[in-house]
Amino acid sequence: AGIIYSAKKLAECYEELLKKQYDLIEGAELTCTELQDKYDMYIVSNGNIKVQLPRLDGSGLRKYFKDVFVSEKVGYQKPQKEFFDYVFYAAQR
């Protein structure tokens, strides 16, 4: 018997699970704590907002960053120049 599946449903399940996945490198939070008072820190990421923001929140690191720039919202993907132009302009405001 064949396997019947919905590609849309599979993609939705994958996205739901991906939202909950993050892996911190040893010392990441300590590094962020030490740098946050010395530098304005930003997160730049490809992907979509529905996945990236919950992952950042779950990791506990989002609070150390001044802003988050996700390609879906910016309208360009890294490494496109337009993506970074947008980020640098927004960070200077």
Side-chain angles (χ1 to χ4, degrees), residues 1 5 25 39 44 53 69 93:
Y5 67 93
I25 296 170
Y39 303 99
V44 295
L53 295 184
F69 297 95
R93 292 190 279 162

Side-chain angles (χ1 to χ4, degrees), residues 28-41 64:
E29 188 157 14
L30 177 61
T31 300
C32 288
T33 301
E34 291 178 359
L35 294 176
Q36 75 175 345
D37 293 330
K38 298 175 186 170
Y39 303 99
D40 290 337
M41 298 192 303
Y64 297 107

Side-chain angles (χ1 to χ4, degrees), residues 6-91:
S6 160
K8 182 179 178 185
K9 184 67 175 164
L10 181 62
E12 289 170 359
C13 289
Y14 173 75
E15 193 173 87
E16 247 342 277
L17 292 171
L18 192 58
K19 284 182 192 180
K20 299 171 185 167
Q21 180 193 9
Y22 50 87
D23 233 352
L24 290 182
I25 296 170
E26 186 177 332
E29 188 157 14
L30 177 61
T31 300
C32 288
T33 301
E34 291 178 359
L35 294 176
Q36 75 175 345
D37 293 330
K38 298 175 186 170
Y39 303 99
D40 290 337
M41 298 192 303
Y42 299 87
I43 294 174
V44 295
S45 175
N46 282 334
N48 71 44
I49 295 166
K50 292 188 309 185
V51 171
Q52 301 299 51
L53 295 184
R55 292 175 81 186
L56 291 169
D57 290 337
S59 74
L61 296 181
R62 188 171 174 191
K63 63 187 174 196
Y64 297 107
F65 295 88
K66 193 168 182 179
D67 206 347
V68 177
F69 297 95
V70 179
S71 60
E72 178 185 45
K73 184 176 178 189
V74 171
Y76 300 99
Q77 293 276 327
K78 294 184 312 175
Q80 289 179 291
K81 179 184 181 301
E82 294 86 354
F83 179 91
F84 292 102
D85 287 344
Y86 179 96
V87 170
F88 293 139
Y89 175 79

